[in-house]
Amino acid sequence: MAGDGKTESLCFYVNGKKVTDSNADPETMLLSHLRERLGLTGTKYGCGGGGCGACTVMVSRYQPGTKTIRHFSANACLLPVCQLQGAAVTTVEGIGNTRTRLHPVQERLAKAHGSQCGFCTPGMVMSMYTLLRNKPQPTMEDITEALGGNLCRCTGYRPIVDGYKTFCQEENCCQANGNGGDCCLNGNRTFQENENNIPRLFDQADLLPLDPSQELIFPPELILMAETQTQRTQTFRGERITWVSPVSLEELVLLKSRHPQAPLVMGNTNIGPDMKFKGILHPVIISPTRVEDLFEVTQTAEGVWVGAGSSVSRLRSLLEGLVGSLPPEHTEVYRALLQQLVNLGGQQIRNVATIGGNIVSAFPNSDLNPVLAAGNCKLRVISKEGKWEIVLDKDFFVGFGKTILKPEEIVLSVFIPISRKWEIVRAFRQAPRKENALATVTTGMRVMFSEGSRVVREISIYYGGVAPCTVSANKTCAAIVGRRWDEGTLSEAYTSLLDEVSLPPSAPGGKVEFRRSLTLSLLFKFNLHVLQRLREMNVITEELPEGVHSAVRPLPRKLQPSIQDFQGVLEGQGGVDPVGRPMMHRSALSQATGEAVYCDDVPKTEGELFLVLVTSTRPHAKIIDLDTSEALRLQGVLDVITHSDIPGRKVRTWSGYHEELLAEKEVSCVGQLLCAVVADTKTHAKLGAAAVKVYYEDLPDPVYTVEEAIEKNSYFEPRRVIEQGNVTKAFDAVDQIYEGEMRLSGQEHFYMETQSMLVVPSGEEKEMTVYVACQHPACTQEAVAETLDIPSNRVSCIVKRIGGAFGGKLTKTTVLACITAVAAWKTSCPVRCVLERGEDMLISGGRHPVLGTYKVGFMADGKIVAADIRYYANAGNTSDESVGIIEKFLLHMDNAYNIPNLRGHSSACRTNMPSNTAFRGAGVPQCMMVVENMINDVAMKLGRTAEEIREVNMYRGPSQTHFKYEFDPENLHRCWDLCKAKSDYANRRSAIAQFNQTNRWKKRGLSIIPIKYGIGFAEGFLNQAAALVHIYKDGSVLVNHGGIEMGQGIHTKIQQVASRELHIPSSLIHLTETSTTTVPNTSPTAASFGTDANGMAVKDACQTLYQRLEPIRKQQPDASWETWIKTAYFQKISLSATGYHRGADSYMNWESQEGQPYAYYTYGACSSEVELDCLTGDYRTVRTDIVMDIGHSINPSVDIGQIEGAFIQGLGLYTLEELKFSPSGMLYTRGPSQYKIPAVCDIPLQFNVYLLPGSDNPHAIYSSKGIGEPALFLGSAVFFAIKDAVAAARAESGLVGPFSLSSPATPEKACLACVTPFTKMVPVSKPGSFSPWSLNI
C-alpha cells in the first residue's frame, strides 16, 4: 500500500542499454530523464503537453500472453519514468548516427530537404520509424496519420511527406507499375538530371534501402523478466508524490478504497498536463498498467466488452477487426466510433490514452462519450462493495469533469453493443483544425425504426461541446419518437433542439452562435445520412434532392503528386561549383540523428542553476509589495532576482521608449516580468516562482483594443502619414465610392525551440559567456554589458543554431538574457533559463493584430483612382518594434497596384496587452491583406472577379511607388501570367462555377494573389555585414559570419559561396557557431537579407584569400589545393582574412515622404483553390500553385523549402491561428492544445512551386533574391479562396455584394458568413448585453 514498504528499483532499457533507478521520482517524465540523466538530448522539449511531437520516442513492450513485442510511439514529455518497468525505449540516437550508420528514416528526411531548423526533426524521425517497425511498407494514409501528432513550423510538411512516401508501395504508384526511373516518389524533381534534362530536388536511387533485419533487437533480459519473474507491487517515492503500481485487481480495489482521491494514471494524458500546467498536486498516484483485468476483451453475441485500460489505438484495431468480420447491420456503433477515434489526438496520444480514462475524464467536448451514450453502451464498475453495471446515458455525466461514479469506484470495462437491423448510428464533429484538435462540437446520433418503415421507434442524440458535460437532447428525441422521419418532423426537431440545447452568450470557450448552429447543421447531416440509408434499405424510394448529396460527401483528403520546378545550372558550370544546385541543408543529417546541438542541449556544468520568471497577473496596476520570503524558504531556492539587483542599466530602449527589464512600481500587462527565482533545479525554481506573492492596487481604465486606444488617444509616437496625388479631390471624380474595413488577429511565433539561454561567468575580469537562441547576438552582447555595467568586450555571445525564430528572438530574447545574466552575476554561477511553451507564449508577444479601414474610389471599368487607408496596430504595453512595423505598413500598402491618389495613415496603439513584436514579414502580411480585401470589395461592388480588378490596377512599365522608389514590374507580370497558366486558372474558374451550381452545401472557391515585397532594412546601417575566413594547413576552411542559422539555410548557402569563390569542394568547408568574439557588431538576421549581406562578406574574404594564393597557383597550376595551402604557409602568406559588405544605403525620409528603403523587390503570385463545407465551415485546400521570382537561386531546395514553409505559416495566419485573451487581458491560448498551427492535414492536396526562369538581380549575390518572408503573404490566397466559396454560398440565399470576413477565416467565421438556414435560426445576443468570454483583439 502507499506509504508501506520500501521504494522499488526501476529497470528498463534505452537504446539497448540497461537503465536502473532506485530513486525514481513520480514527477520525473521520460523526457527529462533522457536529457538530464542520460545525456540523450536528441529528444526535444517543444510543449510539455504531448501536443507537438518533438519529444516522440518509441516504446516497446513484450506481451507474455502472445509472445509478441508491441512497438508504439509516445510523447516522452507525458510518460512517467515510473511507468517504464520492463520497457525498451528507443530514441533518435538509438537508430543511427553520422559516425557509424544512418537509418534510412533519418537519411530520407534529410535528403528530401525535410529538415530546416531541425528542432522537430527527431520527433518526425521517431514517428516514422515506429510506423516502419510495425508496417515496413506503409500506405500514404499510414504515413500522414503517423505524422499527424508532429508539428513543424518551418518546412510546410511537403518535403517531409515526399521523403517518407519513398517507403510506401501504393497500388497506383508508377514505381509499382514498372516506371521507377521517373517515379512520382522522387518529388518530381531530383538533384540529378534525367533524360529530359529536368533538374530534380533529390534522387531516390541514392537512398539507403530499408532492411528490417538490421533493427535493434528487444532486450532478451526483459523477455526473461516478463516470462519468469513474479510481478509484484512497485512503490516509488518522490519529494511530494508516492507512486504505487499494483499487479492485481484485488490490490487495485483495496488501494482505491484507502486512497479514493488518488487518480488512476495509465496514459497520463489528462492527469499529467493538469499537474504540470494547473499546479494540481496528487500526494498519491495509482498506476494500474500491469493489472491484466483492465485489458481483457470479451466478445459476446450482443457486443464486446473492452477493458477500460485498453488504449484508443487498441480499441480502434479491435473495432476495425469487428467491422471486417460482422454483418454491416451489426457494426453501426463500431463504425461511428471509428470515425471519431481517428481524430482523437495524435498517434502518440492514441497509443497511450485509454478508453476508460476518456470516459471518466468527462471532458465536455469528448469525441467518444456522445457516441458511447447514443449507442447504449454500459460500464462494468468495481469497488470493495463488488461489481455492477452502469448504463452510459444522460444521467452518467453530471458536470464539468464529473460523473456519477464515486471516488473509490473503478471502471473495469466498457460494453459496446452490436447494432440491430433498422438501426442507424452516426458520429459528427467539428474542430478548429482538421485533425489532432479537441472538438468544438461533437455528437453521436442513433435512430431505430419500426421494421420496414420510416416510423421512429427509438432515438438518441448526444452532444459534446455545448454544455459543461456531454448532454442528451431528451425533449427533442421525445418529440420525434413515434413519428415518421420526414421534413415536417425534422423541422420541428430543429426548433425544439434550439430551445433545448442552449448556451449563454458568455459561455466558456466562446463561439456561442457557431456552436449552437452546429447542433442544428449536424442534425441536418444526420437526417441526410438516415434518408440515404432508408433508401438503401428500400424503405423509401425518393432520391435526395439534387445538390444536397454534397452535405454527406466528405471533403477531399487524398494527397496528389506535387511539382517543384526550378532551373538547372548554366551549361559549363563546373561540377565542384555547388551554386545553383539543390544542396542538402548542411546540418540536416545531424538534425535527423539528434546530434545537432541547440542552446538547451549544451551540457550542464558544475554548480549550474535554473531560472524561472514570475510574471504579472494584472493588466494595469501598482505593485504594492513583492513578497519573496516564502519562496526563499523552499528547498533548492537560492535567490530571487528583482529590479534592485540589476547593477547597470535597468531598461532597454526601443523606438525611444524604455522597457523595464523587471517591473519596479507598476505593471502594464498580464505577463510582464516582475522577478526571477533561481534554484538548483528547474522543478525547485518553478515551485519557488509559484510561492512568490505579489500585492497589487489596480489602476483604472485599462486599454485592450485598438478601438479603446483610439478613443483614449493612446499611441506610441510617431504616427505616420504618406500621400501621393490629391486623394480628397480625386474622390469627387470617381464613379463609385466604397468604405470598408478588415480585421486581422495576431499570430504566435510558435518556434519549436522556446526562448533558451545559458549564461556562464568565467570568474575572471568580469567575463561572461552567453549561449543564447537569438537572431541578433550583437544586440544581446551590448544589452548584457550595459545591464551588468561592464564593457562589451567582456561579453561573448554564442549562437550555434536556433530552432526557429521568425522575428520572435530579437527584442524579448535580449531582455531575458539580461535578466539571466544578472542572476549569473549575482550568484557567480552558470544560470540557465528555458521558457516553457505557455510562459513563452505569454511573455514573448507575437504578430500585431490590425484594424484596417479604407475608403476607395473607382471607375466602372474597375480602375481604382483614389484610396484612403488607415492602419491601427495593437502594439501592446511597450513600443518594441511597433514603430518600424507601422512604417512598413505604409511602404507596402500599394502591393502590386498603381493607385494614382493614395493616402495612408498608420498608428501603433498603446494598450495593456503583452507587447507585440517583429514577425516574419514585419507588418507586410497585415497591410497587404487590407489592400487585397479592398480590391475584393471593389470587385464585388462591380460584379466582376477579383483577378480582373487586380489586373486592371497593376503597375505596368517603368514605375514609381508612392514614396518615389523606381522599379520595373516586368517580373511581377511574368509571375502573374505564369501562375495563371500553370494553375490552368481560367478553366478551373469555369469548372468551379459548374461545381457550385450543382452542390448546395459544398462550395469551391478560387483566388490568385500577387506580391511585390521590398528586401532589406530601411535603416541603411543594418544592411552591413562582416565575415572571417580561416584556411588551415591541411586545406580545410573555417568560415565565420554574422548571420544566424535558424532553419533558413544561411550556413548552407554561405558554404556554397565559399566553395565557389575558393574553387574547392563544399566538403572542405566548415561553419561553426556565430560568435561576437569572431565577427563583431553584426546586424540582426532578419528582413530576408541574411544571405545577401553575409554572403557578400564571405565572398569578399574568400576572394581576398584566393588572390593571395595567385602567385602560388601560377607557379604550380597542376598542384592540389592542399599543396597550394602548405606552400603558402611556408611562404608566410596569411591564410586568414576578414570580409566586409557595406550594403545598400537605404533610407526613408518621412518628412518629404520619399526614399529608397529597399535594395530591390521580390515578386510572386499564388493561386489557391478550396472546397468549403458550408454547414460546418471546414475546408480543404485542394490545390495551390506558387510562382516566385527569386533571381538565380543559390540553392533551389532551400529556397523552395522557404517558399513552402512561409506559405503554410501564412495559411495559418489567415485561416487557422487564433490568440484568445480573457476580458482582463490574460492569454487563454498558451500551448498547442488551445492554439492550432497548421499540421500535415493542412497542406494543399496538390502543392506546386515554380521558380521564375530567366530572372536577374544585380543588387544581390550571384543575382539571387531574398525569399524568407515574401511568400508568407501568399497564404492569403487560401483566405480569398474561402471568401470566394462563401460568396457562392451566400448567393444561394440571395446575398450579393461585399461582406465582412475577418482574418483568420476560421471554420466559425466561414460558416457564419455563409448565412445558412441553420445559422439564421440562432438568435444573436446584442453586444453590450453580456460579458464576452474573450476579448475581440
Side-chain angles (χ1 to χ4, degrees), residues 430-432 440 510-515 517-518 741-747 849-850 929 1172-1179 1211-1220 1235 1279 1282-1287 1289-1290 1295 1299-1316 1319 1334-1337:
Q430 197 291 317
T440 302
K511 305 182 182 180
V512 170
E513 188 181 344
F514 178 47
R515 287 195 276 169
S517 75
L518 284 173
E741 69 174 35
M742 181 67 193
R743 291 176 177 273
L744 294 97
S745 181
Q747 184 181 26
V850 169
M929 189 67 171
L1172 174 73
D1173 185 332
C1174 304
L1175 295 170
T1176 63
D1178 290 330
Y1179 78 93
L1211 180 148
L1213 168 65
Y1214 297 121
T1215 71
L1216 183 62
E1217 299 177 39
E1218 281 191 296
L1219 290 164
K1220 292 291 186 181
Y1235 185 80
F1279 174 96
I1282 291 172
K1283 194 167 187 179
D1284 189 46
V1286 170
R1290 291 168 65 87
L1295 300 172
F1299 62 94
S1300 176
L1301 182 65
S1302 61
S1303 174
T1306 59
E1308 173 194 13
K1309 294 174 186 175
C1311 176
L1312 296 180
C1314 286
V1315 194
T1316 67
T1319 62
S1334 66
L1335 294 169
N1336 183 20
I1337 299 298

Side-chain angles (χ1 to χ4, degrees), residues 1145-1299:
D1145 293 321
S1146 52
Y1147 71 96
M1148 181 64 200
N1149 188 324
W1150 288 99
E1151 296 298 322
S1152 64
Q1153 298 189 3
E1154 60 183 70
Q1156 305 285 316
Y1158 304 115
Y1160 56 88
Y1161 284 119
T1162 292
Y1163 304 106
C1166 175
S1167 168
S1168 283
E1169 178 182 347
V1170 304
E1171 185 171 323
L1172 174 73
D1173 185 332
C1174 304
L1175 295 170
T1176 63
D1178 290 330
Y1179 78 93
R1180 278 278 181 182
T1181 307
V1182 177
R1183 177 174 171 179
T1184 289
D1185 294 88
I1186 298 174
V1187 177
M1188 292 298 300
D1189 165 29
I1190 60 169
H1192 292 182
S1193 173
I1194 293 176
N1195 187 327
S1197 61
V1198 167
D1199 289 337
I1200 288 172
Q1202 285 292 287
I1203 291 166
E1204 292 170 334
F1207 171 84
I1208 292 296
Q1209 199 170 67
L1211 180 148
L1213 168 65
Y1214 297 121
T1215 71
L1216 183 62
E1217 299 177 39
E1218 281 191 296
L1219 290 164
K1220 292 291 186 181
F1221 293 88
S1222 75
S1224 61
M1226 181 192 73
L1227 182 64
Y1228 285 135
T1229 47
R1230 293 173 62 177
S1233 61
Q1234 304 97 12
Y1235 185 80
K1236 297 301 176 187
I1237 69 169
V1240 167
C1241 59
D1242 295 296
I1243 63 177
L1245 298 181
Q1246 187 174 358
F1247 196 3
N1248 302 325
V1249 176
Y1250 306 86
L1251 302 187
L1252 185 72
S1255 172
D1256 293 305
N1257 177 33
H1259 306 290
I1261 186 166
Y1262 304 147
S1263 202
S1264 64
K1265 286 191 174 185
I1267 193 54
E1269 295 171 299
L1272 186 140
F1273 174 66
L1274 297 181
S1276 68
V1278 179
F1279 174 96
F1280 287 109
I1282 291 172
K1283 194 167 187 179
D1284 189 46
V1286 170
R1290 291 168 65 87
E1292 296 269 5
S1293 303
L1295 300 172
V1296 295
F1299 62 94

Side-chain angles (χ1 to χ4, degrees), residues 42 52 87 107 129 185-186 188 273 593 619 649 661 699 783 865 870 935 1020 1083 1267 1299:
C52 74
E107 185 214 31
Y129 175 78
L185 300 184
N186 281 337
N188 287 16
T593 59
R649 198 159 182 259
L661 298 177
L699 294 170
V865 176
R870 294 175 182 267
I935 296 279
S1083 296
I1267 193 54
F1299 62 94

Side-chain angles (χ1 to χ4, degrees), residues 986-1248:
N987 289 332
R988 285 168 59 211
R989 172 61 77 188
S990 300
I992 285 170
Q994 179 64 31
F995 178 94
N996 290 341
Q997 283 182 358
T998 56
N999 290 274
R1000 174 66 181 92
W1001 301 111
K1002 294 282 197 314
K1003 298 295 179 186
R1004 288 204 171 192
L1006 183 66
S1007 77
I1008 182 168
I1009 300 292
I1011 187 170
K1012 170 179 67 67
Y1013 191 101
I1015 300 295
F1017 293 99
E1019 303 80 5
F1021 69 91
L1022 291 176
N1023 292 320
Q1024 63 181 306
L1028 177 63
V1029 178
H1030 303 308
I1031 304 175
Y1032 294 96
K1033 288 186 290 184
D1034 63 355
S1036 63
V1037 177
L1038 180 65
V1039 177
N1040 296 274
H1041 63 95
I1044 301 299
E1045 177 57 67
M1046 47 195 174
Q1048 84 283 34
I1050 188 172
H1051 283 357
T1052 308
K1053 288 184 174 182
I1054 294 295
Q1055 187 178 21
Q1056 290 174 278
V1057 170
S1059 173
R1060 166 175 279 191
E1061 295 303 327
L1062 295 175
H1063 304 271
I1064 59 174
S1066 300
S1067 58
L1068 290 177
I1069 301 164
H1070 181 65
L1071 284 87
T1072 185
E1073 69 268 357
T1074 304
S1075 171
T1076 55
T1077 61
T1078 53
V1079 180
N1081 310 318
T1082 58
S1083 296
T1085 302
S1088 303
F1089 206 64
T1091 299
D1092 283 14
N1094 292 284
M1096 291 295 283
V1098 170
K1099 179 182 178 183
D1100 181 47
C1102 290
Q1103 287 181 341
T1104 298
L1105 288 167
Y1106 200 67
Q1107 287 167 6
R1108 287 179 190 168
L1109 295 173
E1110 186 176 5
I1112 297 172
R1113 289 188 286 111
K1114 287 182 176 179
Q1115 292 168 6
Q1116 306 176 40
D1118 298 325
S1120 66
W1121 166 261
E1122 290 80 3
T1123 300
W1124 291 344
I1125 298 308
K1126 287 178 181 176
T1127 303
Y1129 173 74
F1130 286 114
Q1131 290 185 11
K1132 296 191 288 188
I1133 294 174
S1134 172
L1135 294 174
S1136 179
T1138 59
Y1140 182 72
H1141 177 61
R1142 191 172 188 276
D1145 293 321
S1146 52
Y1147 71 96
M1148 181 64 200
N1149 188 324
W1150 288 99
E1151 296 298 322
S1152 64
Q1153 298 189 3
E1154 60 183 70
Q1156 305 285 316
Y1158 304 115
Y1160 56 88
Y1161 284 119
T1162 292
Y1163 304 106
C1166 175
S1167 168
S1168 283
E1169 178 182 347
V1170 304
E1171 185 171 323
L1172 174 73
D1173 185 332
C1174 304
L1175 295 170
T1176 63
D1178 290 330
Y1179 78 93
R1180 278 278 181 182
T1181 307
V1182 177
R1183 177 174 171 179
T1184 289
D1185 294 88
I1186 298 174
V1187 177
M1188 292 298 300
D1189 165 29
I1190 60 169
H1192 292 182
S1193 173
I1194 293 176
N1195 187 327
S1197 61
V1198 167
D1199 289 337
I1200 288 172
Q1202 285 292 287
I1203 291 166
E1204 292 170 334
F1207 171 84
I1208 292 296
Q1209 199 170 67
L1211 180 148
L1213 168 65
Y1214 297 121
T1215 71
L1216 183 62
E1217 299 177 39
E1218 281 191 296
L1219 290 164
K1220 292 291 186 181
F1221 293 88
S1222 75
S1224 61
M1226 181 192 73
L1227 182 64
Y1228 285 135
T1229 47
R1230 293 173 62 177
S1233 61
Q1234 304 97 12
Y1235 185 80
K1236 297 301 176 187
I1237 69 169
V1240 167
C1241 59
D1242 295 296
I1243 63 177
L1245 298 181
Q1246 187 174 358
F1247 196 3
N1248 302 325

Side-chain angles (χ1 to χ4, degrees), residues 482-544:
R483 298 182 60 180
R484 281 169 53 84
W485 188 274
D486 56 26
E487 198 58 43
T489 300
L490 267 294
S491 181
E492 291 180 28
Y494 297 136
T495 304
S496 171
L497 190 60
L498 198 61
D499 292 335
E500 183 177 7
V501 182
S502 180
L503 275 171
S506 56
K511 305 182 182 180
V512 170
E513 188 181 344
F514 178 47
R515 287 195 276 169
R516 295 194 68 191
S517 75
L518 284 173
T519 62
L520 305 174
S521 59
L522 296 181
L523 178 57
F524 174 69
K525 281 179 176 265
F526 181 59
N527 168 40
L528 298 180
H529 278 273
V530 169
L531 293 175
Q532 265 192 340
R533 186 78 183 105
L534 288 175
R535 188 174 186 282
E536 291 169 3
M537 294 190 293
N538 298 317
V539 174
I540 62 175
T541 57
E542 58 267 30
E543 294 263 12
L544 288 178

Side-chain angles (χ1 to χ4, degrees), residues 133-251:
R133 289 299 301 266
N134 290 311
K135 195 172 184 180
Q137 290 191 342
T139 64
M140 274 302 300
E141 188 174 338
D142 293 328
I143 292 170
T144 54
E145 186 176 305
L147 298 177
N150 294 76
L151 298 179
C152 173
R153 197 56 155 166
C154 295
T155 65
Y157 300 100
R158 192 277 312 159
I160 298 172
V161 173
D162 272 8
Y164 284 155
K165 74 182 180 184
T166 59
F167 288 111
C168 76
Q169 289 287 343
E170 300 280 22
E171 288 181 8
N172 60 351
C173 171
C174 51
Q175 189 179 65
N177 295 327
N179 188 26
D182 193 20
C183 180
C184 64
L185 300 184
N186 281 337
N188 287 16
R189 301 287 186 270
T190 66
F191 185 94
Q192 302 293 328
E193 294 190 356
N194 64 8
E195 60 274 14
N196 297 319
N197 293 321
I198 299 174
R200 301 170 181 270
L201 285 179
F202 72 97
D203 189 352
Q204 189 181 350
D206 291 340
L207 303 178
L208 292 169
L210 178 67
D211 184 358
S213 68
Q214 297 301 303
E215 305 297 358
L216 202 65
I217 65 167
F218 189 82
E221 182 184 357
L222 295 183
I223 297 176
L224 192 64
M225 281 172 52
E227 291 188 336
T228 61
Q229 287 187 7
T230 302
Q231 292 206 55
R232 56 196 181 95
T233 299
Q234 287 189 314
T235 302
F236 302 100
R237 293 180 180 82
E239 290 181 12
R240 305 191 302 162
I241 296 173
T242 297
W243 175 286
V244 187
S245 175
V247 295
S248 70
L249 183 61
E250 295 75 18
E251 190 179 8

Side-chain angles (χ1 to χ4, degrees), residues 625-648:
D625 186 32
L626 190 68
D627 183 1
T628 63
S629 57
E630 185 177 334
L632 289 168
R633 285 195 292 268
L634 293 178
Q635 179 180 344
V637 174
L638 274 75
D639 207 343
V640 178
I641 307 301
T642 66
H643 183 272
S644 61
D645 291 312
I646 300 173

